[in-house]
Amino acid sequence: MKTRETFELLRNKKTHLSLRVRLILLVSAELVLSILTALGMWILLDHFLSIDSNVLLLIALVVTSLLIGSLVTTFISRFFFNPIKKLGKAMGKVADGDFSVRLEMKSTSKEILEIYSGFNLMTRELASTEILQTDFVSNVSHEFKTPINAIEGYTTLLQGCENLDADQQQYVDKILFNTKRLSTLVGNILLLSKIENQSIPTHQTLFRLDEQIRQSIVAQEPAWASKDLDFDVELDHVEYLGSEGLLHHVWDNLISNAIKFTPPCGLVRIRLKKKNDHILFIIEDEGPGLSSEAKKHIFDKFYQADSSHKEEGNGLGLALVKRILVITGGQISAENIPGSGCRFTVTLKA
């Protein structure tokens, strides 16, 4: 509220020296200073050297104009363009999703102050909207979780009944399948909400990354066994200090994606290597690869390359992976493999 009032005061504030007036005055002062300095040089040169006065005046004018013009132009460019550069950098941060950036109100120009105040007001409003949205999603997800768990529990009991005919059994299976999907979605939303409000990983322990990845592969055996997939796995012995629970989500999501998009009887390649001060995790599938549009949004929340939603998933897995790696100081990239398939590369600090 205070920022909004400041913005309104600046807009209504009257000033005699706007940016346009200051620019006119500075340029005029530059011209007057150049002429006066040139005349001074002409008088001095005429007094000490016996050269044609017209030539002296021309030399004096050229030299002083270049000198003063360079100095004044440097000053003007700093005065007028530095605030614009600061604004450009701040806008870049906002475009990356950082709504905490603020611009210091130290300029003597009304126009710059007005722009800065408007920018600060915008980022405050965006931050408030983001917090409101996050809280709303988190609260609604919490409210959904209890009834979904109840439905899933009762459906599981029904699934074990012996007096169900074929159609009833099919209905129960579908209910259970969809409640599990909904439960996973709610769990992912709650986890993402928690991670987005976290700036550093907590509960750091020293653990084996290679063992954790092996566990993730084994845990997903029903999925890859049903498609008769093969794995080509080479994992270096790597010990890592970090959040074991968070990184488990990274491997689970990336491996499940590779399994999902690799066709039956296909191959998934996994590599884990330690190189000097960083750790590389590479996973490759034999799926259809990524379109140019998918590459731009693959790590966005709720984005799915398959807009028909025929594939299982909710578009939160890779967004979770990206956010976890950001707070752990890691990076992730995606690229297509020549021929067919996709490669995800995770880089962690050793």
Side-chain angles (χ1 to χ4, degrees):
M1 199 65 190
K2 186 178 178 182
T3 309
R4 189 182 293 277
E5 290 171 358
T6 305
F7 179 63
E8 292 297 330
L9 285 171
L10 285 169
R11 286 184 63 185
N12 298 326
K13 184 181 177 182
K14 293 182 179 180
T15 179
H16 299 292
L17 296 177
S18 64
L19 278 179
R20 183 180 296 176
V21 173
R22 292 185 185 201
L23 182 60
I24 293 170
L25 288 174
L26 284 169
V27 173
S28 301
E30 179 184 0
L31 291 172
V32 171
L33 189 60
S34 296
I35 293 168
L36 291 175
T37 310
L39 286 172
M41 285 185 66
W42 173 60
I43 293 169
L44 288 172
L45 289 171
D46 187 47
H47 181 72
F48 292 106
L49 301 171
S50 57
I51 305 176
D52 184 24
S53 59
N54 290 330
V55 176
L56 283 174
L57 182 59
L58 181 62
I59 293 171
L61 281 171
V62 170
V63 172
T64 53
S65 295
L66 287 172
L67 249 167
I68 296 172
S70 300
L71 292 171
V72 175
T73 303
T74 303
F75 170 74
I76 290 174
S77 64
R78 285 184 179 179
F79 181 79
F80 284 95
F81 295 112
N82 276 1
I84 297 173
K85 286 182 180 178
K86 288 180 182 177
L87 180 63
K89 288 180 181 178
M91 289 175 71
K93 291 180 180 179
V94 172
D96 290 334
D98 181 8
F99 302 135
S100 64
V101 61
R102 300 289 183 271
L103 293 172
E104 294 182 3
M105 308 282 288
K106 291 183 178 180
S107 177
T108 56
S109 167
K110 177 197 169 184
E111 288 85 352
I112 297 298
L113 285 174
E114 190 174 310
I115 292 170
Y116 279 15
S117 180
F119 177 85
N120 290 342
L121 175 61
M122 178 192 72
T123 52
R124 287 181 191 277
E125 294 291 340
L126 286 171
S128 299
T129 304
E130 182 77 6
I131 291 169
L132 182 64
Q133 179 184 346
T134 303
D135 288 346
F136 173 77
V137 170
S138 179
N139 291 334
V140 169
S141 299
H142 271 295
E143 293 299 321
F144 277 166
K145 200 165 182 63
T146 302
I148 289 170
N149 288 340
I151 294 170
E152 187 176 344
Y154 288 126
T155 309
T156 304
L157 292 175
L158 284 173
Q159 198 178 33
C161 293
E162 297 179 356
N163 57 345
L164 296 177
D165 58 35
D167 288 340
Q168 290 173 334
Q169 186 64 47
Q170 186 180 6
Y171 299 152
V172 170
D173 291 342
K174 285 184 177 180
I175 292 170
L176 187 59
F177 172 75
N178 285 289
T179 51
K180 284 182 177 178
R181 284 187 65 183
L182 193 54
S183 180
T184 302
L185 172 62
V186 171
N188 283 341
I189 290 173
L190 289 172
L191 179 61
L192 185 59
S193 175
K194 177 183 177 183
I195 292 172
E196 283 184 335
N197 293 314
Q198 189 174 334
S199 57
I200 56 172
T202 55
H203 308 298
Q204 296 190 43
T205 55
L206 187 66
F207 62 96
R208 289 269 301 274
L209 271 183
D210 52 313
E211 283 299 324
Q212 190 181 53
I213 293 166
R214 286 190 188 94
Q215 290 170 12
S216 184
I217 296 170
V218 172
Q220 299 188 53
E221 182 180 1
W224 54 260
S226 65
K227 296 178 73 174
D228 197 20
L229 300 183
D230 286 330
F231 277 80
D232 178 7
V233 181
E234 290 183 14
L235 305 176
D236 289 352
H237 179 105
V238 178
E239 291 190 344
Y240 182 76
L241 178 65
S243 176
E244 189 172 359
L246 289 180
L247 283 176
H248 231 304
H249 288 286
V250 173
W251 318 133
D252 284 349
N253 275 291
L254 292 177
I255 293 169
S256 66
N257 272 356
I259 293 169
K260 180 168 67 175
F261 291 107
T262 299
C265 302
L267 178 69
V268 177
R269 298 177 183 85
I270 298 176
R271 299 289 184 269
L272 180 70
K273 298 184 179 298
K274 187 174 182 180
K275 294 186 176 180
N276 300 326
D277 60 342
H278 62 276
I279 299 162
L280 282 180
F281 171 84
I282 302 168
I283 183 166
E284 299 176 355
D285 61 52
E286 294 184 342
L290 298 169
S291 66
S292 55
E293 185 66 20
K295 283 182 183 179
K296 297 177 185 176
H297 305 285
I298 193 70
F299 298 109
D300 292 351
K301 286 184 285 188
F302 298 107
Y303 177 79
Q304 288 181 282
D306 177 21
S307 57
S308 65
H309 299 279
K310 290 180 181 178
E311 295 284 352
E312 293 180 33
N314 46 53
L316 282 178
L318 289 176
L320 269 170
V321 168
K322 177 75 172 180
R323 182 56 191 162
I324 289 169
L325 291 172
V326 166
I327 65 171
T328 55
Q331 295 177 338
I332 185 170
S333 62
E335 59 184 332
N336 287 328
I337 301 170
S340 66
C342 184
R343 178 189 297 118
F344 283 89
T345 304
V346 174
T347 307
L348 295 170
K349 293 178 182 178

